[in-house]
Structures are given as C-alpha cells and as structure tokens.
Amino acid sequence: MRTHHRVLAALVLAALVPAALVPALALGGTQTPPPLKSAEPTRVIRVNQLGYLPDAPKTAVMCALADSTPGAATVTFTVEDTTGRRVLGPRRAAAAGPFGPCAQTYRLDFSMLRTRGRYRLVADDVRSPVVRVDARAYAGAADTLLYYMRQQRSGYNPTLRDSVHKLDGIIVDHPTRTGEFINVSGGWADAADYLQYVTTSATATYVMLKARRDFPRAFADRFAADGLPGANGVDDALDEARHGLEWLLRMFPDDSTMFNQLADDRDHAFLDIPTTDSSDYGWGKGKERPVYPCTGKPQGLFAGKNRANGYASTAGKYAATFALASRAYASSDPAFARRLRDRALAAYALGVKYPGNCQTAPGRSPYFYEEESWTDDMELGAAELYALTKDARFLREAMAYAAKEPYTPWMGADTARHYEWYPWINHGHHATWRVADQAGKRQMAAYYRQGLERVAGRANNGFRVGIPFIWCSNNLMSAFATQAFLYRRMTGDTRFREYEAAAVDWLFGANPWGTSMIIGLPWSGTWPRDPHSVMARQIGIETQLGGMVDGPVYRSIFGNLRGIHLFEADEYAPFNTSFIVYHDDMGDYSTNEPIMDGTGMFTYLLAALAP
Ligand SMILES: [Ca+2]
Ligand SMILES: [Ca+2]
C-alpha cells in the first residue's frame, strides 16, 4: 500500500484540482457491474492453485453467483484424476451460506485424498481447475517471493542491473540537522512507489531472518549478495535480509538519531521506473530524497500531519531485527554480529526512553501508515534481546509488554485504520514463548488463541474467512494463517487448522475471483497480470514475480479512495459486488498493487509449508 499509490490518477487529477481538495473522487468506484452474460458460468469451483499437502485439510469452494439459482441445500461432488477416472466420491457437500458475490457456497472437502497426483473436482456439471496433492506443492515457493524482494532493491538493483536513488538523502524535520546530507542508500522500495519505511523494511527483514532460522532448508542459494544470479555460499533469504540490514544500519547511524522514512508521497507525481525517477523534492528532478527521523511529534511537511508521539514502534522493530540478525551472524561474521548487537541495544533504549508511535509522514497526500501499536514491537525487541544476551531484565520486560496487547486489535474487528495494528501479527508472543518458562509459554499461547478465536468467530462462510477487508487484506490473511500455524506448532492444538488452511487457500485462489494473490505463483495459474506497477507496465510482468498484491477491499473503501479508476473492462465484474471487490487492473492501487512488506512477511508461512 501503499500508501497511496495513485500515481496515474494523480497525473490526471493534478491538472484539474489541487489534490488535497479531492476527498472522494470515485471515478470508478460507483460503477455498476454489468449483468452476467449468458455464456458466463453461474457456478464456479475455486481451489488452491498451488496445491494441497497430503496430510493437510483439503477443501475447494463452489460459489453459485448472485443472479444464478442459489441451488440446493446439498450438492454431490466427485474427484477425478487426469484420465477422468473417479478416485473419490460421490460425496455430499452442505450449503455453507452466502459470501460476497456467491449467493450460496459449498465446501467440497476432499481431505481424505492423500495420494500424490493431479485431479479435478466435479460437482454437477461444474469442473474445477486441476488441483495438485503433493508433499512438494510448496517447494521453492518461499524462494519465489525473494524474486520480488530483489526486484524492489534500492541502491544496486539487480533487475535493472543499475544503481538507483544514488543521492539518498537529505535530512528533513530534524531539530538541528535539517538540510544535512546523509548516505542512506539501499533497502527496498515499499511497493510500486519508491518510498521506503523502516517499519515495513525492518518487519520484512525480521520475518525473512526468522523464516530461515526455523526452516533452514526452505531456501536455496542461487543468487549472490548483490542479487545477481550465482551461488555465493549463503542462502538467498540471508542475502536478502542482509541487504535490508545494511540499510537499517544506515538509518540508525548513532545512539540518538533514529531515521524512519526515506522519500515521501511527492514520489507519486511521476510514473517512472526507479532509474529514471523524476520525483523532485526541491533539490531537482531525480536528485536527493528527504530522510525523516523519529521525533516523537506529529510529522508532515505540508498540510497533512500524522499522530506520531514516540519512537517505540520503530525502535522495537530495529531492536528485534538487529538482535535476531546478530545471532544469525555470530559465527559467520562476528564483527558484523557485534555491531548488530550494539545497535539492537541502542535502539531498544530509545524505545524505552520514547514510548509511543513513530508513524510514517505524509507529504502532499492525506494517507500515511497510522500505526497505533508499539508494545507489540517492544515485546519483540525485548524477547529477541533476551535470546541474544540472556539478561533477565529483557524477559521481564517482554512479558510485561506482551500483557499490554494480548491479541492484535484488528482481530475480530470490522475495520481498522490504515496500518493501525501493524504488523498485524505479533511475532513477539512467539519470540517470548521461545524463551519463557512453562507458565509464560502457556500465557503466550493463550494470547494467540484469543486473537484466532476472534477471527474464526467471524468466519461462518463458505470460504472460512473472518478478516476485515480493509486495505492490504492479503496481509491480514497471511498474518492470520501465520499466527494459526505458530499456535498449532506451539501447542499441538489443531482447532484452527481448517481456518489456517482456508487462509492459505484463499491467497492461492480459493476466493471468489479464483486468482492467486501472488504474481506468477503458480506460473501456470490465474494471477494478477495487470498489477499497479510501472515496472510491470514498462519492462514486463515477469519483473514482479513473487509479489503479493494488496488484495480485495470493501466496496466502500474502493469507492472512496482518491482518483481511483479502472483502465480496462473489469474481467471480474460478476464477482465484484457491493461487499468486497478485487480488480486485476493497473488503475486499482487499492487491491492490485504489489507490496514489499506483505511479500516479505509471507516468506515465513511458505517456508513452513516447504518440504
Ligand atoms: Ca545466495
Ligand atoms: Ca506495532
């Protein structure tokens, strides 16, 4: 999200109306979907296109569209192999209620099919896409996400084989150092725009480090440190994490100077690839970009201000990421490990000194990341510092922070502000669980269970989804599935496993639109071909391989975003109704923009599912 990425719309709107005066120019948001053509299917079977693990719950969802006959209370279905031979059924599936465009849904449970192979489900005259049952269904999937991360690199960009944004940056909004140049080149662009944030970058880095720690065999070594092809003796997740770490170290250069953001939404005025970025922040087109520190005060150089009131949301993320990284490099690069340890301790100290949120700063646009939670981040920092130092103070503080926010507040809610409860899953509870005594472990598991129960309690629909469809809903779906997986691993309790599987299935195509939410995964499947991405448009969709897009949003959100409109006819019109919408359209920055943090954060679950 992008915060906003309304680049193309901005080009059109900027000439017409001052952007700040356009509260809700819903150019496309109120259009009525065209009626179904008679040739279009009125019932479809949606599946996880990447595949199902043999021992996992396996469910496809049949959706009967709104203006078709809702259908019977039960349907029967069979499963065929690719020769047409029946291998399962007929079995009955009960109606599971309406959801979005589906007047009725049916859950087609074929969990008992455990034999490796390729199959189709058939219900009445409706046939599913080919589904795969395979213990290796997720082999290489986590690595595929890393293609997108490499492509997002600032500094040397291996996709463009060129250095980008070489003049980063000039300090702004600092009490004594405004106007000073500081080298903060590197890191990743946040989405299809080229802003860079510590909150998202540190989270992506942390999760990649955690993924390779817990599932070291999930990642290959096919790329070098600079992201170009070629093994270098280091797994590619650690290569990517190090690219992030080098930038984070530049962004936290001394014990009292903590930067939070590079560039701002003035970026959105131009539609360029990174090498020819024309953004002008007052120092010339394509020149230096502004670097924002945490100040503990509301920030914004123009009309819009955020509600920042501390450092801790950012400081906790720095501390956790540096502390985990320090352990990762303890033997391979001890000098780097010592530096990371020093920076982790310093970052945590700033978080203690300045509790509260360090939010991203808006530029000309009203949008920013409205993160309100910071005790989750400090818990994670404290837990990782305890794992690193064994200083009992950090474990005490991790437990105390954990109690401040037992479950992440979006869980069970209908809505939330943009990035209000970032990063949507509190990895701190798991990090604390790893180091706590038995009573502490039970407490952390209970906290996770509370959140999961709240989401599952809303999931009484055929897709078994209980998240709110706010901006970046795919991030919430991924966060829920990851938390459910961690809880299952921590406790052995499988009560949420159906919901965990449903969330993964949703992200790979078991959703009303029948599309994977990850570009190119699986390559032979249905996935976003027309994302909100200048790189995709100018260089090719293959550059976006592995990128997770924002995902569906409430129709009301789509309809109220500024300057949003579709560029082409909506191939998903029959599935976009008054509840939630998704568009595979360059013009929809709310549902179809690839996101760096969502992609990075999904590495954990895909690594967990790897053989
Ligand atoms: Ca490598
Ligand atoms: Ca937070």
Side-chain angles (χ1 to χ4, degrees):
M1 168 165 17
R2 319 25 231 54
T3 54
H4 8 353
H5 207 207
R6 45 192 179 99
V7 272
L8 283 174
L11 284 175
V12 177
L13 284 178
L16 303 174
V17 201
L21 300 181
V22 189
L25 200 53
L27 297 176
T30 57
Q31 68 187 16
T32 305
L36 281 178
K37 300 185 194 82
S38 59
E40 290 181 295
T42 55
R43 289 183 299 169
V44 289
I45 298 175
R46 300 310 197 190
V47 302
N48 179 334
Q49 299 175 32
L50 193 55
Y52 298 82
L53 297 176
D55 65 346
K58 290 180 276 298
T59 306
V61 181
M62 188 161 82
C63 163
L65 283 173
D67 38 7
S68 68
T69 306
T74 61
V75 299
T76 60
F77 71 98
T78 60
V79 182
E80 300 176 350
D81 65 16
T82 48
T83 69
R85 186 177 64 95
R86 182 182 297 178
V87 297
L88 186 71
R91 292 179 55 81
R92 288 157 59 91
F99 181 84
C102 313
Q104 188 59 275
T105 58
Y106 303 86
R107 289 181 65 72
L108 313 181
D109 183 349
F110 59 108
S111 299
M112 66 291 298
L113 180 61
R114 290 165 176 260
T115 308
R116 179 170 177 265
R118 292 172 182 273
Y119 306 96
R120 281 184 197 273
L121 289 84
V122 183
D124 296 338
D125 55 338
V126 185
R127 298 167 69 81
S128 78
V130 170
V131 299
R132 191 161 64 127
V133 175
D134 195 327
R136 299 187 56 78
Y138 292 83
D143 268 322
T144 300
L145 302 181
L146 299 182
Y147 280 84
Y148 178 78
M149 299 300 289
R150 285 189 288 271
Q151 180 271 157
Q152 288 295 99
R153 285 194 186 188
S154 193
Y156 182 74
N157 183 296
T159 301
L160 298 164
R161 300 206 175 215
D162 199 355
S163 292
V164 304
H165 293 125
K166 289 173 278 200
L167 299 176
D168 292 334
I170 289 179
I171 299 170
V172 297
D173 195 21
H174 190 283
T176 59
R177 295 176 65 182
T178 291
E180 181 185 319
F181 178 84
I182 182 167
N183 176 13
V184 291
S185 179
W188 301 284
D190 201 50
D193 54 11
Y194 306 125
L195 281 72
Q196 296 182 228
Y197 305 117
V198 167
T199 191
T200 49
S201 301
T203 299
T205 304
Y206 176 85
V207 174
M208 287 190 288
L209 289 166
K210 173 170 170 162
R212 65 174 295 282
R213 178 197 66 192
D214 291 355
F215 309 102
R217 290 176 298 181
F219 296 98
D221 172 24
R222 296 200 184 91
F223 290 87
D226 61 6
L228 290 173
N232 63 344
V234 176
D235 66 83
D236 297 338
L238 188 58
D239 283 327
E240 206 54 37
R242 180 136 188 174
H243 181 75
L245 290 166
E246 301 280 4
W247 182 69
L248 292 170
L249 287 166
R250 291 193 182 102
M251 292 289 283
F252 183 39
D254 64 69
D255 290 0
S256 59
T257 310
M258 178 169 279
F259 293 108
N260 190 53
Q261 174 174 331
L262 173 57
D264 62 41
D265 59 49
R266 284 173 281 177
D267 176 278
H268 296 167
F270 294 94
L271 192 65
D272 295 319
I273 62 173
T275 42
T276 57
D277 185 3
S278 295
S279 299
D280 186 341
Y281 294 96
W283 305 297
K285 280 184 184 297
K287 300 297 189 187
E288 291 84 352
R289 301 193 297 171
V291 190
Y292 290 80
C294 293
T295 62
K297 301 189 180 85
Q299 287 177 289
L301 299 179
F302 304 101
K305 305 286 181 203
N306 66 21
R307 296 182 299 278
N309 59 7
Y311 287 31
S313 60
T314 289
K317 295 186 185 79
Y318 269 118
T321 306
F322 288 154
L324 179 55
S326 179
R327 293 167 63 213
Y329 285 102
S331 58
S332 64
D333 191 343
F336 190 52
R338 281 193 297 276
R339 185 164 167 235
L340 289 164
R341 177 192 173 107
D342 169 72
R343 305 316 293 142
L345 290 163
Y348 186 81
L350 275 187
V352 171
K353 186 174 179 182
Y354 301 107
N357 303 294
C358 177
Q359 299 173 331
T360 70
R364 298 287 189 187
S365 148
Y367 303 126
F368 60 95
Y369 288 174
E370 307 180 48
E371 187 170 355
E372 287 290 337
S373 60
W374 58 271
T375 56
D376 57 341
D377 307 301
M378 290 298 284
E379 177 193 356
L380 184 59
E384 292 294 351
L385 276 170
Y386 177 73
L388 177 66
T389 66
K390 298 297 186 288
D391 180 340
R393 166 206 162 194
F394 292 120
L395 181 53
R396 283 196 306 274
E397 295 183 5
M399 298 288 295
Y401 283 126
K404 303 272 191 195
E405 190 183 282
Y407 60 87
T408 303
W410 70 262
M411 294 185 141
D414 285 325
T415 191
R417 293 175 188 267
H418 191 40
Y419 277 55
E420 184 172 6
W421 308 117
Y422 194 75
W424 295 297
I425 171 173
N426 182 359
H427 281 287
H429 288 346
H430 181 238
T432 302
W433 175 87
R434 286 170 56 91
V435 295
D437 61 14
Q438 287 307 316
K441 286 185 193 299
R442 280 194 296 276
Q443 186 63 72
M444 295 305 125
Y447 290 158
Y448 269 168
R449 188 171 61 245
Q450 287 177 35
L452 295 168
E453 281 170 344
R454 294 171 66 85
V455 177
R458 293 165 42 91
N460 298 316
N461 54 67
F463 292 95
R464 293 290 187 266
V465 297
I467 65 159
F469 285 93
I470 55 177
W471 208 351
C472 294
S473 68
N474 284 342
N475 252 331
L476 302 188
M477 203 69 83
S478 164
F480 171 79
T482 304
Q483 179 163 325
F485 170 83
L486 289 171
Y487 174 77
R488 182 160 59 86
R489 269 294 176 90
M490 289 156 60
T491 62
D493 180 351
T494 58
R495 77 178 78 176
F496 302 111
R497 188 150 195 209
E498 180 185 15
Y499 303 95
E500 174 192 335
V504 176
D505 294 346
W506 174 280
L507 291 170
F508 287 112
N511 55 56
W513 309 269
T515 180
S516 169
M517 296 294 172
I518 315 297
I519 294 172
L521 194 61
W523 189 255
S524 60
T526 299
W527 40 265
R529 306 282 166 160
D530 198 11
H532 183 82
S533 159
V534 184
M535 286 282 288
R537 185 55 69 101
Q538 292 195 10
I539 298 182
I541 184 64
E542 62 278 6
T543 63
Q544 303 299 294
L545 174 63
M548 173 189 278
V549 298
D550 302 308
V553 296
Y554 292 128
R555 165 72 70 178
S556 57
I557 290 180
F558 176 76
N560 284 302
L561 286 166
R562 293 165 44 167
I564 205 163
H565 70 290
L566 303 186
F567 291 174
E568 295 169 353
D570 178 11
E571 62 268 58
Y572 290 121
F575 301 97
N576 288 325
T577 53
S578 59
F579 173 45
I580 52 177
V581 297
Y582 165 77
H583 306 103
D584 184 13
D585 192 293
M586 169 78 176
D588 186 356
Y589 64 85
S590 72
T591 72
N592 209 37
E593 182 171 358
I595 48 178
M596 182 277 294
D597 66 317
T599 304
M601 290 168 71
F602 196 38
T603 58
Y604 189 83
L605 198 60
L606 290 192
L609 295 170

